[in-house]
Amino acid sequence: MTAGRDQRRTVRELVDAHGQTYAEEAGIRLKDTPQPLYRLLILAHLLSARISASIAVATARSLSEAGLRDPRRMADATWQERVDALGRGGYRRYDERTATQLGEAAELLTERWGGDLRRLREEADGDVSGLRRLLQEFPGVGPTGADIFLREAQLVWPEAGPLLDRKALQGAERLGLPGDPDRLLSLAGKTEPAVLAAALVRAAVDKDVAEDTLDRVG
């Protein structure tokens, strides 16, 4: 088997077994509408902390189950209600600071963009660097959080993609795949870039995912 075919099979096995976006895992049906986009912003905020992805996903679900699915409800909730919801998801290490940041971010989104991230997108006017800059105006969302948001949002915001961020490329390296995004996209064929990126990130953050994939390839 040639190296190219072997790499193509590695990508296929990875995507088949682990190609679930983090939004999907968190129960977010991603659409270009205000609530799913807001829930994705929260998820990106949580995933960007130094905490396991499984806890971040569980916490995003916990916030949703507590009814904190839109910026108005998030801002109207008490700080303690936000802390409690974060704690139920297992997000205890950063719960107090994050509870404050979520409230401040919800207020900013409401006041500046009418609670609708699509208006932020309009302000960026198709410029990805502009999107990154505006996303980082939310408390608690730095460069990593902005990349996570755009990595997943490229499913519904095409101008954000194709995006394979630094963490996705780390996953490619762990699997012995090329570090060039264009080459990876070519190997993935018709796979959505957001799905490929999520699968590669899973390989980067979980060695069991990488080992499982390589075992499947043989």
Side-chain angles (χ1 to χ4, degrees):
M1 183 178 289
T2 66
R5 288 179 63 190
D6 196 37
Q7 290 176 342
R8 191 169 285 105
R9 184 179 171 194
T10 299
V11 171
R12 185 175 68 248
E13 294 289 353
L14 172 70
V15 170
D16 286 350
H18 306 287
Q20 181 184 40
T21 65
Y22 285 96
E24 185 180 2
E25 185 182 353
I28 302 169
R29 291 188 177 183
L30 195 56
K31 296 185 290 185
D32 188 25
T33 54
Q35 189 176 111
L37 290 171
Y38 177 65
R39 291 177 64 193
L40 176 60
L41 179 67
I42 291 174
L43 177 62
H45 180 163
L46 299 174
L47 282 167
S48 66
R50 292 184 178 179
I51 203 162
S52 76
S54 61
I55 289 177
V57 168
T59 302
R61 284 183 171 273
S62 177
L63 289 164
S64 179
E65 290 164 1
L68 307 180
R69 302 185 193 94
D70 62 60
R72 180 184 60 78
R73 291 177 181 176
M74 183 68 78
D76 287 348
T78 66
W79 177 82
Q80 190 61 53
E81 286 171 338
R82 293 193 292 269
V83 168
D84 290 346
L86 290 164
R88 286 193 295 273
Y91 208 83
R92 295 185 179 88
R93 183 177 174 188
Y94 303 104
D95 55 352
E96 296 187 356
R97 183 181 65 182
T98 302
T100 299
Q101 291 172 336
L102 289 174
E104 292 173 347
E107 291 176 0
L108 174 62
L109 179 55
T110 300
E111 293 169 3
R112 183 163 172 182
W113 293 291
D116 189 345
L117 283 163
R118 294 176 301 180
R119 295 186 182 180
L120 178 150
R121 181 189 185 190
E122 289 173 5
E123 185 174 326
D125 194 25
D127 179 44
V128 179
S129 62
L131 282 173
R132 283 195 176 91
R133 176 180 54 78
L134 291 172
L135 288 166
Q136 289 178 63
E137 294 193 20
F138 292 110
V141 179
T144 298
D147 276 350
I148 293 170
F149 179 90
L150 293 174
R151 190 177 74 211
E152 300 260 327
Q154 64 183 315
L155 274 171
V156 293
W157 289 4
E159 72 273 23
L163 172 62
L164 301 179
D165 63 359
R166 185 185 309 173
K167 186 62 71 175
L169 296 181
Q170 288 174 4
E173 181 181 5
R174 175 174 267 184
L175 291 166
L177 294 168
D180 176 59
D182 289 339
R183 179 64 182 141
L184 288 167
L185 291 162
S186 176
L187 289 169
K190 295 182 179 179
T191 301
E192 286 280 359
V195 173
L196 173 62
L200 289 168
V201 168
R202 292 180 188 280
V205 301
D206 187 344
K207 65 179 182 180
D208 289 341
V209 169
E211 290 174 358
D212 172 67
T213 301
L214 294 174
D215 285 346
R216 288 170 183 270
V217 175

